[in-house]
Each structure stands twice: as structure tokens, then as C-alpha cells.
Amino acid sequence: MNIAIILSGCGNCDGSELQETLSLMLAFDRRGWSYQCFAPEGAYNVFDHRTKKPTGEQRDLLQEASRIARGDILPLADLDISDYEVLAIPGGMGAARNLSNYATAGTAMTVRHDVEQAILDAYSQHKAIVAVCIAPMLLAKVLGPHHITLTLGHPCQASQDAEALGAIHQCCEVTQCCADEKNRIYTAPAYMVGTRISEIFAGSENLVAKLEECEL
């Protein structure tokens, strides 16, 4: 399979969560599947990952995301989802701050137009969609009217918000995943409930194994 991965920067406070992203990449690679990373271009607000507070600095999303992809990354504007079988969005607060404004707007959130379009294109072309940690909130906003089923882990404010947007929430433990086979949407809670990197890698492996079972 060929996977398009949308990144949102670099680091759990203001970008893509590295352990979640790398565990997905590893699970894909172990199966011999190929992936291409994409990220939007434009400035975002940087957080100090020690204090969890904004620094007042701004950086470019694509440049920062390229750190995770070892430079092998393309602008999101270049994504043609018809070239891929799967769209994957790792977690990290970049999904809630940079790909959307969920972190500040809650259920009044908006999703970046280019990210929203990628999700809509994948859904309309019957591609599989993978989202981890807080990233399923993007799917809840864009695809909620289709009453998709997803997980954000245990019942929490985010799960309530997802349901308010029309999605159906399924409770999952950290190593479990939620497979909405009808809509071809696969989600896992990762650090929404996890505390150890081993749990994150196990959860990603189980998620991708379920994707393999259902899609191949």
C-alpha cells in the first residue's frame, strides 16, 4: 500500500507527536508499504516543550515537519490523494493548533481548507483514513455528518465534542483501535490515554494490523 501522511510540525505541544508519528511509520514500513509525508506551508506559533507555554516565536510548518521526515516531504498543496490508498494523520497538538483551531475553539472549530479538502477527497474516493490521538477530531469535524465511528480513548471532553459534531465515539484502551469498516476509518487513542512509548508502538502496530486485515 501507498500512504500519504499529513504532518503538522514537529513536537507534541505544537506539531506532530514524534513517537506516535514514528510508530505509524515503522508499522507501515514493517509491511513493506511506502509512505510520503506532506505538510501545509505557513507560520505557526512555537511552544517550549519544557514549560508547555508559547515562546512568541513563529516557524514554518513544512520546514519543521521536514525534521521528522528527514527532509523527504512535500507541500500539502502537492497531494493528489488518487495516488494513494491511505491518508494518515498522526496526533500531537499540531492537529489541534495548526491543522485546525480545535485547541482554542472547541466544537466551533474550523479545519484548514487544504487539510479539509484532503480528508474529503480521501473519503469521496473511498480511501482508508487513519488518525491517531487528537487527530480524529479533524475527522469528526469534516465527516461528522456521515456519523463516522472513531475513538479518542476514554470518555473525555474531546469525545463529547466529537459526538456533538455528529461522530460516534467508541471507547478504547491505549493498545486498542477503532475500525469503522463501513466508512474505512481507523483510529487509535495513543497518548490520549497512554503513558509509555511501548504502549504507543503496540497501539500503532495493532491499528495498522487492523488496517491490513480490512483493506487487503
Side-chain angles (χ1 to χ4, degrees):
M1 278 208 280
N2 199 13
I3 299 106
I5 302 176
I6 298 180
L7 301 180
S8 59
C10 180
N12 66 296
C13 291
D14 56 11
S16 292
E17 212 292 327
L18 281 93
Q19 294 171 7
E20 294 172 356
T21 304
L22 296 178
S23 66
L24 276 179
M25 290 176 172
L26 178 60
F28 293 147
D29 184 67
R30 279 176 168 169
R31 288 161 173 78
W33 300 350
S34 60
Y35 58 81
Q36 175 64 56
C37 293
F38 295 85
E41 296 179 271
Y44 74 99
N45 296 318
V46 176
F47 276 64
D48 185 324
H49 282 65
R50 296 169 300 171
T51 65
K52 315 299 183 186
K53 296 179 180 179
T55 65
E57 179 187 0
Q58 289 195 327
R59 297 181 186 174
D60 183 76
L61 273 170
L62 181 60
Q63 290 178 3
E64 289 301 295
S66 70
R67 296 173 182 270
I68 300 176
R70 294 175 58 86
D72 184 10
I73 194 167
L74 297 172
L76 183 55
D78 292 354
L79 172 61
D80 182 348
I81 198 63
S82 64
D83 294 332
Y84 300 89
E85 286 77 51
V86 181
L87 176 67
I89 310 176
M93 285 302 292
R97 299 188 196 278
N98 305 331
L99 304 186
S100 74
N101 64 348
Y102 174 65
T104 55
T107 54
M109 69 185 287
T110 57
V111 177
R112 277 184 62 120
H113 175 71
D114 46 7
V115 176
E116 179 179 28
Q117 194 60 55
I119 294 170
L120 288 172
D121 288 347
Y123 187 78
S124 66
Q125 294 180 36
H126 306 291
K127 308 290 185 176
I129 302 176
V130 169
V132 172
C133 193
I134 196 64
M137 282 304 306
L138 304 175
L139 307 186
K141 174 61 178 179
V142 177
L143 301 177
H146 296 281
H147 303 298
I148 60 171
T149 301
L150 51 76
T151 190
L152 289 147
H154 301 162
C156 60
Q157 185 61 55
S159 68
Q160 294 175 26
D161 290 345
E163 291 181 327
L165 292 168
I168 300 166
H169 184 259
Q170 177 178 305
C171 294
C172 284
E173 300 301 328
V174 60
T175 59
Q176 297 176 323
C177 65
C178 171
D180 180 346
E181 296 182 45
K182 175 183 176 182
N183 290 296
R184 304 181 75 179
I185 291 172
Y186 303 86
T187 53
Y191 275 120
M192 290 294 287
V193 294
T195 59
R196 300 168 58 204
I197 188 173
S198 57
E199 297 173 332
I200 305 310
F201 274 79
S204 292
E205 176 62 28
N206 291 337
L207 173 65
V208 175
K210 188 64 175 179
L211 174 69
E212 182 177 35
E213 174 189 333
C214 296
E215 298 293 330
L216 291 181

